[in-house]
Amino acid sequence: MATKTLLEAIRDALIEEMRRDERVFVLGEDVGRRGGVFRVTQGLIDEFGPARVLDTPLAESLIVGVAIGAAAYGMRPVAEIQFADFIHPAMDQIINEAAKIRYRSNGAWGCPIVIRAPYGGGVHGALYHSQSVEALFHHVPGLKIVAPATPYDAKGLLKAAIRDPDPVLFFEHKKAYRSIRGEVPEEEYVLPIGKADVKRPGEHLTVITYGYNVHLCLEAAARLSRDEGIEAEVIDLRTLLPIDKETILTSVRKTGRVLISHEDTKTGGIGAEVAAIIAEEALFYLDAPIVRLAPPDVHAMPFNGRLEAAFMPTVEQHYAAMRDLARF
Amino acid sequence: MSTERQEAVLLPHQQDKDHLLDLYRKMFLIRRFEERAAEAYTQGKIGGFLHLAIGEEAANVGTIVALRDDDDVFTHYRSHGHALARGMDPGAVMAELFGKTTGVSRGRGGSMHLASLEHHFWGGYAIVGGHIPLAVGMALAHQYRGLDRVVLCIFGDGAVNTGAFHEALNMAGVWKLPVVFAVSNNLYGMGTAIERSSAVTEVYKRAAAYNMPGRRINGNDVLQVEAAVRDAVERARAGEGPSLLELVTYRFRGHSMADAELYRSKEEVEQYKARDPIVAFRRRLEEQGVADAGALSAIEKEVEDTVEAAVRFAEESPEPDPGTIFDYIYVNP
């Protein structure tokens, strides 16, 4: 086992899949010579050449549209959107074309593309370099959405995403790129899309989360165990669409208490869907109201450090919410 | 409108009698097919939206016949003519308009979303301009795999002011991709005249911004269209990059069946109808001795029968089973 950062694990996944399958190529803004603004694709152009590592103009609609067209005959494009905030010009291509192609063609052809996008705040990115955009796509059948929290999951899920015959949005938390390290096996492995992972077993309450918040929740849960003897079960959704109902419901039926946490704002977020699933299918197992912990519904993450801190979820918030829920 | 045009040099095979009669047959098929579709629409047998290309048959046929069978086509929502010219079965196309399970998209697409993988016909697309980047992506895939296939991307003059048009043509120009962009300029984007929506109304001039050749062709002359598109296709196939062809044409009917046409005068429409591309081509075939009136009438009769059979097939075909609504959302849900 080697210890890797999230970013290194993602790069390794790209390299392995490009070596394995000539149909795989990457395209995006500055992914070639510059190696991407976060350096995820650094070195790829040296190994695979400019035909497989394509620098594009600053035009996200084009990047995604080209990927869709190339994928029709079975190519496996991996498109990078430089910041998730820049994905909005490509909404039409993603929602109107990528998501619908298999359906409109009655399965005659599909759209095996991956769209990678760094998302999330806490890096003083302000309005257009901090957003969480996953909920905007969660409403769209035909798409898959993956948001890994650890290097191990990121590598195994990105490899699965590249091999998946349908379009996958792959969201990488930019604060986690270099700050989160973890063990990654040397040998080849692929993880299933659509399966959540119980990152920490527990009996007193269920915490359902994804992305960078997984780490906040795990730290809060460890402190809570040490300080109060409360054992929280932390579920990392990993895949947001399709969502793993079974893992959610199994845990909820066991603990009867649920905290849902994400960095995206609250209204209409992934947490709303998770809460609705639980309400529909496990209401009578609940011993306390469902709690959602999410940033306030403000327009954009503010630049100022104190304002940004007021937006970003913290370990302390999670600790308090988990404790209060266990005591309810 | 500027009348400035570049005449294409006709190709040797364009003197061939069988080829000329095939062009006529295809144009007449599209005309009769769409007239019958309009009737079925007014009878309530076709629902939704129906966009007819009556008047644009020369542009429809001239573009498509310039392709090889393994070349690829992306087109827009006014695409019955392109599908028929590509050789898609008129019965299966009509059944799609009727929303039947025997339709080319099994009733899921309807008039605007015809598609057939077998015909390398990747669809009508109803987001204006949205398919242009897809065509560029497919051309990239051909270049990547070292194939000598060409992608033909057809859209209307309404599409040329979208961001997708600009982004896609620029990329095709940078990467010298094997793609031909053919704009059917029928002078109106829905109900707005091109002069009121485009600062430069000669669409072909925009090619300069993308470092590709641009040509304006009489889109109502099927031979001119075919010759120009073949030029562009061969150029693309030879690795010399994309082209932008502007086919100036006119639709005799409204934007869709629901269009009262308040934005143009009856006199204007009548002027264009007097220059009907099918009538003109028929006259030319007779005058040049390619076929006499009897031979042309025989073709027309055969087409009438084909279209009647297509309508009957569509009417008699079954509706899709509602239980299939969840099919083909994901391969691995």
Side-chain angles (χ1 to χ4, degrees):
Chain A
M1 288 270 203
T3 299
K4 301 264 187 182
T5 63
L6 188 88
L7 185 147
E8 289 165 342
I10 290 167
R11 183 192 294 142
D12 288 350
L14 288 171
I15 291 171
E16 285 182 20
E17 290 305 296
M18 290 179 78
R19 285 179 186 161
R20 177 182 169 271
D21 184 350
E22 282 207 341
R23 299 173 305 167
V24 180
F25 68 95
V26 302
L27 73 164
E29 296 158 10
D30 286 332
V31 297
R33 289 277 158 237
R34 195 175 192 278
V37 289
F38 290 99
R39 303 277 189 269
V40 172
T41 55
Q42 193 160 43
L44 266 60
I45 198 165
D46 298 322
E47 177 169 351
F48 301 106
R52 296 182 70 192
V53 185
L54 293 161
D55 283 316
T56 66
L58 312 185
E60 288 76 15
S61 169
L62 170 97
I63 293 169
V64 174
V66 162
I68 297 167
Y73 271 121
M75 299 287 292
R76 299 285 170 144
V78 182
E80 178 176 301
I81 300 294
Q82 197 166 71
F83 284 81
D85 314 63
F86 307 167
I87 207 167
H88 301 114
M91 288 293 260
D92 175 49
Q93 290 296 330
I94 297 170
I95 294 174
N96 275 325
E97 309 304 349
K100 292 175 172 52
I101 277 178
R102 183 169 303 287
Y103 200 70
R104 67 164 288 173
S105 73
N106 294 283
W109 74 94
C111 187
I113 66 171
V114 177
I115 301 169
R116 295 180 38 248
Y119 76 108
V123 295
H124 307 298
L127 280 71
Y128 306 130
H129 295 78
S130 304
Q131 293 172 57
S132 296
V133 299
E134 59 274 16
L136 299 174
F137 298 98
H138 197 251
H139 189 62
V140 185
L143 299 179
K144 294 184 178 184
I145 305 175
V146 175
T150 66
Y152 174 80
D153 288 346
K155 185 177 177 191
L157 286 166
L158 181 54
K159 287 166 72 81
I162 292 170
R163 298 179 194 187
D164 198 279
D166 290 311
V168 181
L169 296 175
F170 195 88
F171 291 118
E172 303 162 3
H173 200 291
K174 66 174 82 74
K175 194 176 172 184
Y177 266 151
R178 293 173 195 278
S179 68
I180 300 297
R181 294 174 168 273
E183 296 206 323
V184 178
E186 301 289 345
E187 62 273 16
E188 163 100 26
Y189 70 98
V190 178
L191 296 173
I193 290 175
K195 295 286 179 221
D197 183 42
V198 178
K199 285 282 192 285
R200 181 187 197 281
E203 57 193 309
H204 298 124
L205 74 151
T206 298
V207 180
I208 300 166
T209 186
Y210 60 91
Y212 193 76
N213 277 23
V214 169
H215 303 288
L216 304 180
C217 291
L218 286 172
E219 192 178 333
R223 283 195 211 167
L224 201 60
S225 169
R226 191 183 60 218
D227 298 352
E228 318 244 357
I230 295 168
E231 299 301 335
E233 181 150 294
V234 178
I235 295 176
D236 176 3
L237 289 172
R238 301 196 298 189
T239 298
L240 308 181
L241 188 67
I243 210 158
D244 181 359
K245 288 186 182 184
E246 213 37 62
T247 299
I248 293 170
L249 294 172
T250 301
S251 181
V252 170
R253 287 176 184 136
K254 179 173 76 175
T255 67
R257 292 163 203 269
V258 186
L259 172 73
I260 306 166
S261 152
H262 49 61
E263 187 186 308
D264 193 9
T265 51
K266 188 170 181 178
T267 302
I270 305 295
E273 182 62 26
V274 173
I277 290 168
I278 295 167
E280 281 180 337
E281 302 193 34
L283 182 66
F284 298 114
Y285 290 88
L286 292 178
D287 297 320
I290 295 169
V291 177
R292 283 185 288 163
L293 198 165
D297 286 325
V298 297
H299 303 67
M301 200 168 297
F303 168 69
N304 172 274
R306 291 176 67 175
L307 289 173
E308 187 184 65
F311 181 97
M312 292 295 287
T314 63
V315 173
E316 289 69 29
Q317 285 170 357
H318 284 88
Y319 182 96
M322 287 154 75
R323 183 194 57 210
D324 293 350
L325 184 58
R327 287 178 181 168
F328 181 88
Chain B
M1 288 296 298
S2 159
T3 53
E4 166 189 0
R5 277 182 193 137
Q6 299 166 37
E7 291 292 315
V9 178
L10 295 189
L11 304 163
H13 80 277
Q14 291 186 301
Q15 311 298 328
D16 178 71
K17 177 182 169 181
D18 289 343
H19 179 71
L20 292 168
L21 293 182
D22 182 54
L23 296 177
Y24 183 72
R25 183 181 296 108
K26 286 188 161 89
M27 287 167 66
F28 193 77
L29 170 64
I30 295 167
R31 175 69 57 93
R32 281 305 292 145
F33 182 96
E34 291 214 311
E35 286 171 348
R36 287 293 279 119
E39 280 174 47
Y41 188 89
T42 51
Q43 291 164 354
K45 293 177 181 172
I46 295 175
F49 306 94
L50 188 70
H51 305 85
L52 303 176
I54 290 177
E56 302 183 22
E57 294 89 347
N60 286 178
V61 173
T63 44
I64 299 289
V65 298
L67 299 178
R68 231 165 52 185
D69 285 350
D70 63 345
D71 288 332
D72 296 288
V73 183
F74 283 83
T75 179
H76 53 167
Y77 53 86
R78 196 182 303 283
S79 65
H80 311 148
H82 302 126
L84 294 171
R86 190 62 172 159
M88 286 161 67
D89 175 57
V93 177
M94 189 65 86
E96 189 59 38
L97 271 51
F98 278 62
K100 298 299 184 71
T101 190
T102 53
V104 291
S105 300
R106 298 195 208 170
R108 279 200 178 177
S111 160
M112 295 185 276
H113 315 108
L114 307 171
S116 170
L117 188 52
E118 175 196 347
H119 294 88
H120 295 249
F121 193 90
W122 300 89
Y125 290 80
I127 299 294
V128 171
H131 61 301
I132 310 177
L134 274 57
V136 169
M138 185 168 286
L140 173 69
H142 292 340
Q143 188 186 64
Y144 186 103
R145 300 193 299 173
L147 302 177
D148 70 343
R149 293 182 187 162
V150 174
V151 181
L152 171 66
C153 182
I154 297 166
F155 42 89
D157 49 289
V160 305
N161 297 319
T162 65
F165 169 88
H166 166 65
E167 292 182 13
L169 270 74
N170 176 63
M171 194 78 268
V174 172
W175 287 341
K176 296 248 172 291
L177 294 176
V179 53
V180 175
F181 302 102
V183 51
S184 292
N185 180 3
N186 64 20
L187 316 184
Y188 293 89
M190 292 191 68
T192 301
I194 189 164
E195 294 84 357
R196 297 179 60 217
S197 60
S198 291
V200 174
T201 56
E202 294 94 346
V203 175
Y204 76 97
K205 288 183 178 172
R206 298 186 186 211
Y210 311 115
N211 194 25
M212 65 179 77
R215 291 174 76 178
R216 173 174 264 211
I217 306 295
N218 177 1
N220 292 331
D221 181 335
V222 66
L223 296 177
Q224 286 284 314
V225 175
E226 185 197 358
V229 177
R230 276 185 191 275
D231 260 8
V233 165
E234 291 320 312
R235 179 187 151 80
R237 205 183 304 289
E240 291 165 28
S243 307
L244 174 64
L245 301 177
E246 178 185 4
L247 315 173
V248 183
T249 183
Y250 197 82
R251 61 171 156 71
F252 295 170
R253 302 290 186 101
H255 163 74
S256 73
M257 291 294 288
D259 180 1
E261 297 184 65
L262 303 175
Y263 50 85
R264 61 184 189 182
S265 68
K266 287 202 168 49
E267 293 71 29
E268 177 186 303
V269 178
E270 289 310 316
Q271 271 178 21
Y272 279 97
K273 280 186 177 174
R275 289 180 269 156
D276 187 319
I278 296 182
V279 174
F281 191 53
R282 192 186 204 279
R283 191 183 309 125
R284 181 164 163 176
L285 293 177
E286 281 194 75
E287 284 172 3
Q288 294 182 356
V290 177
D292 60 21
L296 293 168
S297 297
I299 289 174
E300 289 159 7
K301 174 71 174 68
E302 177 205 317
V303 166
E304 302 272 3
D305 292 346
T306 301
V307 173
E308 287 317 305
V311 172
R312 213 162 39 245
F313 174 75
E315 284 176 335
E316 291 168 0
S317 288
E319 304 269 350
D321 173 1
T324 62
I325 192 166
F326 293 112
D327 292 352
Y328 308 120
I329 298 175
Y330 298 104
V331 173
N332 310 308

